[in-house]
């Protein structure tokens, strides 16, 4: 074999897989560093590999454990293994190097190490690891080739020193979500913080609390109460941003929902909705109320007891509230449907005990009679006059859901009958056009079916 052929070009590609996988709540911290040995056999077929006389099965990589094990001839030893000669048997033996918390592993052409004891590798550990990979992970090659290879590596990749410097900086910069939230809560809570700084901290928190664990951490670090307390701050921007954070934190997060209700969030949000505030504040407050009530019958009951339905009614009727109307009706509709679905699920052949408990809780949420009592039978149809299809759709669905409690009223309401008939005519045409375009189960057809059903119910 001659010249450049035959030997494998072995580069050590250093990639930090995951410098930081710290899990704040479990206190576990691991680091992982991977070195990929991109050994590429030469393209030219006649250039046989150096170890051509070694049996195929012997090429397998030795899998070191923490015990000494004999090596078979030709077996490759992964980087980071300890190798020794057993003087009694004459065999070479190897095991993983388990000094320090560094564990080495190998998987095909990938070699790596994991630090099981600390979230970071120290510079010293990195240097050692790189040396180890370099010394043991590469087949010995002659000096001249080594020089050529080094030059090639240098040309293609950044110098090792630079890489290490980057990693060092990264170690210092990587912050866990928990650390970021701690910093933001501190920034928010500083007595000399400006309004802008506080709002900025809240908006950053809002981004983080979409994650279930983060929202729970916010509660445990006392940040949630600060957010709730800001709902009645004297600054409108703080009210708005606090409602935003709260709504995102409680979304699909039962534990945080409980904390928020117990922290008095519901009263404060209702106060924002019931008093004169800009639309932007009310929108966020409504968003937070809806998220707080969803799948949480305890909060729904509190909402009813605190006069929530009345507050929403005033919001619906307010002259400037047009933009909020469909949101208000959606909130009520969701509550009605949620309870219905729960009681339907009660028909399951094997009801479990938690289901019984849920049924019991929802039984205490008596929304429909209250809606009828507070004039909602007459309010919901107002949405039908909207030019928006989805508003009309929402109104029709809500009408249907409220039908058992509003039927008598609807039967006597000739204005409702007229507007439903007019809509029916309109959607018959729209649905026809839809079918003409080949859409059998189109959106307009769906609305038409809803209209037919509602009309059938009020006639
Ligand atoms: C906010 O600041 C107050 C007063 O400095 C302090 O008592 C409180 O513990 C702080 N709250 C949080 C969650 O950091
Ligand atoms: C907010 O409400 C709490 C009680 O719920 C009250 O102690 C506090 O003074 C109120 N803050 C403002 C700024 O009105």
């Amino acid at each position: 074999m001659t010249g450049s052929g035959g030997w494998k070009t072995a580069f050590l590609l250093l990639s930090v897989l995951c410098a930081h996988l710290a899990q704040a709540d479990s206190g576990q911290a691991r680091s992982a560093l991977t070195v990929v040995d991109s050994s590429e056999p030469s393209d030219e077929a006649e250039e046989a590999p150096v170890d051509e006389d070694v049996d195929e099965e012997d090429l397998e990589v030795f899998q070191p454990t923490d015990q000494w094990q004999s090596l078979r001839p030709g077996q490759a030893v992964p980087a980071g293994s300890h190798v020794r000669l057993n003087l009694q048997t004459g065999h070479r033996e190897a095991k993983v190097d388990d000094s320090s918390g560094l564990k080495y592993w190998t998987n095909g052409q990938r070699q790596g190490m994991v630090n099981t004891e600390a979230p970071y590798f120290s510079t010293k550990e990195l240097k050692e690891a790189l040396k180890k990979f370099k010394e043991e992970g590469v087949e010995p090659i002659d000096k001249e080739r080594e020089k050529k290879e080094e030059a090639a590596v240098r040309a293609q990749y950044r110098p090792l020193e630079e890489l290490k410097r980057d990693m060092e900086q990264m170690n210092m910069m990587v912050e866990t979500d928990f650390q970021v939230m701690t910093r933001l809560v501190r920034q928010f809570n500083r007595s000399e913080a400006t309004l802008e700084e506080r709002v900025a901290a809240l908006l950053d928190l809002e981004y983080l609390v979409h994650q279930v664990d983060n929202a729970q951490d916010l509660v445990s670090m006392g940040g949630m109460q600060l957010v709730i307390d800001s709902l009645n701050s004297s600054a409108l921007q703080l009210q708005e941003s606090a409602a935003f954070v709260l709504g995102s934190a409680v979304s699909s997060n039962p534990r945080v929902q409980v904390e928020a209700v117990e922290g008095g969030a519901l009263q404060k949000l209702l106060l924002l909705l019931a008093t004169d505030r800009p639309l932007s504040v009310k929108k966020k407050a409504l968003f937070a109320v809806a998220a707080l009530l969803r799948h949480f019958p305890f909060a729904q009951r509190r909402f009813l007891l605190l006069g929530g339905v009345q507050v929403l009614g005033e919001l619906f009727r307010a002259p400037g509230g047009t933009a909020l109307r469909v949101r208000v009706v959606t909130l009520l509709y969701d509550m009605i449907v949620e309870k219905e679905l729960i009681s339907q699920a009660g028909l399951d052949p094997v009801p479990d005990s938690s289901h019984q408990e849920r049924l019991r809780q929802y039984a205490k949420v008596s929304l429909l009679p209250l809606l009828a009592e507070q004039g909602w039978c007459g309010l919901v149809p107002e949405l039908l006059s909207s030019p928006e299809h989805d508003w009309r759709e929402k109104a029709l669905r809500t009408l249907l859901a409220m039908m058992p409690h509003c039927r008598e009223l609807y039967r006597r309401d000739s204005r409702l009958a007229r507007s439903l008939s007019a809509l029916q005519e309109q959607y018959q045409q729209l649905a026809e056009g839809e079918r003409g375009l080949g859409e059998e189960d189109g959106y307009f057809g769906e609305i038409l079916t809803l209209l037919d059903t509602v009309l059938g119910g009020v006639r």
Side-chain angles (χ1 to χ4, degrees):
M1 270 189 311
T2 54
S4 61
W7 55 276
K8 295 175 184 177
T9 314
F11 293 147
L12 294 181
L13 306 183
L14 196 66
S15 68
V16 178
L17 258 195
C18 201
H20 204 123
L21 286 173
Q23 288 162 291
D25 54 353
S26 60
Q28 285 174 0
R30 293 168 72 86
S31 308
L33 172 78
T34 311
V35 172
V36 182
D37 185 357
S38 76
S39 309
E40 281 173 335
S42 170
D43 294 341
E44 291 160 76
E46 67 270 23
E47 290 176 347
V50 260
D51 42 13
E52 62 189 326
D53 54 350
V54 178
D55 277 356
E56 197 61 30
E57 59 170 0
D58 289 337
L59 282 175
E60 66 175 292
V61 175
F62 175 77
Q63 302 289 332
T65 65
D66 54 0
Q67 303 293 327
W68 288 109
Q69 280 177 280
S70 292
L71 284 167
R72 282 186 282 127
Q75 219 173 9
V77 183
S81 309
H82 271 179
V83 182
R84 71 174 187 193
L85 184 67
N86 185 325
L87 293 174
Q88 280 165 343
T89 61
H91 287 143
R92 284 198 311 149
E93 295 178 340
K95 68 166 193 161
V96 285
D97 180 359
D98 51 8
S99 56
S100 84
L102 302 181
K103 295 267 180 284
Y104 292 85
W105 53 267
T106 175
N107 180 6
Q109 297 221 317
R110 286 162 160 272
Q111 300 167 350
M113 69 169 181
V114 174
N115 192 348
T116 53
E117 279 170 13
Y120 310 120
F121 295 107
S122 69
T123 320
K124 188 167 151 277
E125 284 167 336
L126 274 179
K127 275 186 191 147
E128 268 168 18
L130 288 166
K131 200 163 142 254
K132 216 184 268 273
F133 284 130
K134 235 187 143 138
E135 282 171 0
E136 301 179 22
V138 185
E139 288 169 67
I141 39 181
D142 69 45
K143 279 276 179 311
E144 201 194 334
R145 280 173 185 166
E146 197 167 42
K147 261 192 205 139
K148 267 194 213 159
E149 186 202 344
E150 263 182 32
V153 173
R154 279 224 187 86
Q156 268 181 289
Y157 304 101
R158 289 179 306 153
L160 229 50
E161 285 306 317
E162 197 180 301
L163 215 53
K164 276 187 281 191
R165 215 166 38 237
D166 284 0
M167 292 173 91
E168 227 173 309
Q169 279 171 357
M170 201 159 64
N171 283 352
M172 278 159 29
M173 279 169 3
V174 173
E175 239 183 333
T176 62
D177 283 0
F178 189 89
Q179 288 168 326
V180 175
M181 288 200 303
T182 308
R183 180 167 54 74
L184 290 171
V185 166
R186 210 175 293 140
Q187 175 185 334
F188 179 82
N189 197 28
R190 259 188 339 130
S191 55
E192 64 271 30
T194 65
L195 178 60
E196 284 71 28
E197 283 169 340
R198 291 208 168 120
V199 170
L202 285 178
L203 293 181
D204 285 349
L205 280 172
E206 193 279 328
Y207 175 79
L208 289 164
V209 296
H210 285 266
Q211 279 190 38
V212 171
D213 292 352
N214 285 347
Q216 288 169 2
D217 287 341
L218 184 66
V219 171
S220 57
M221 66 177 71
M224 184 55 106
Q225 198 56 52
L226 291 179
V227 170
I228 293 172
D229 291 345
S230 309
L231 287 171
N232 70 330
S233 129
S234 46
L236 291 174
Q237 288 125 295
L238 279 186
Q239 298 170 3
E240 181 184 336
S241 317
F244 193 23
V245 176
L246 187 85
S248 299
V250 298
S251 292
S252 313
N253 202 332
R255 270 167 68 186
V256 180
Q257 276 179 315
V258 172
E259 297 286 344
V261 168
E262 290 186 344
L266 206 45
Q267 291 91 318
K268 295 197 172 182
L269 288 170
L270 286 176
L271 195 69
L272 289 182
L273 291 175
T275 48
D276 189 25
R277 306 285 146 142
L279 188 62
S280 57
V281 174
K282 297 212 176 200
K283 271 186 186 166
K284 291 289 190 284
L286 201 53
F287 158 68
V289 170
L292 208 48
L293 300 186
R294 199 164 300 130
H295 300 303
F296 190 16
F298 175 77
Q300 293 179 10
R301 181 139 182 275
R302 285 281 278 276
F303 169 81
L304 299 187
L305 292 175
L306 289 167
V309 173
Q310 199 171 343
V311 170
L312 293 189
E314 279 154 22
L315 211 53
F316 190 97
R317 292 181 180 98
T322 327
L324 293 175
R325 284 180 162 196
V326 74
R327 293 168 202 249
V328 167
V329 169
T330 302
L331 192 159
L332 295 172
Y333 173 76
D334 288 346
M335 269 171 84
I336 297 170
V337 170
E338 195 180 295
K339 184 175 171 176
E340 252 174 37
L341 288 178
I342 291 287
S343 45
Q344 278 169 18
L347 303 174
D348 280 353
V350 250
D352 57 42
S353 62
S354 73
H355 183 78
Q356 294 300 324
E357 174 58 23
R358 240 175 298 150
L359 274 182
R360 207 179 58 75
Q361 295 218 0
Y362 276 103
K364 291 186 189 161
V365 182
S366 191
L367 176 63
L368 280 170
L370 204 58
L371 287 179
E373 192 184 300
Q374 297 196 4
W376 282 94
C377 294
L379 287 182
V380 175
E382 287 185 27
L383 276 188
L384 290 175
S385 60
S386 157
E388 306 285 339
H389 296 297
D390 57 336
W391 288 36
R392 294 168 176 175
E393 184 205 342
K394 185 61 73 183
L396 289 169
R397 292 193 188 279
T398 313
L399 275 179
L400 265 182
M402 299 199 319
M403 191 66 86
H405 289 264
C406 303
R407 196 187 308 271
E408 287 317 307
L409 237 130
Y410 290 159
R411 282 201 170 131
R412 281 183 272 124
D413 190 342
S414 54
R415 237 183 86 220
L416 175 64
R418 274 200 304 278
S419 86
L420 285 172
S421 299
L423 285 173
Q424 194 181 35
E425 209 169 300
Q426 188 185 341
Y427 281 95
Q428 269 161 356
Q429 284 178 9
L430 287 168
E432 210 166 297
E434 215 170 38
R435 277 196 301 277
L437 293 170
E439 269 196 81
E440 281 306 321
D441 306 309
Y443 181 54
F444 296 139
E446 198 180 311
I447 296 186
L448 183 60
T449 310
L450 270 174
L451 273 164
D452 293 344
T453 317
V454 172
L455 271 165
V458 301
R459 270 179 185 145

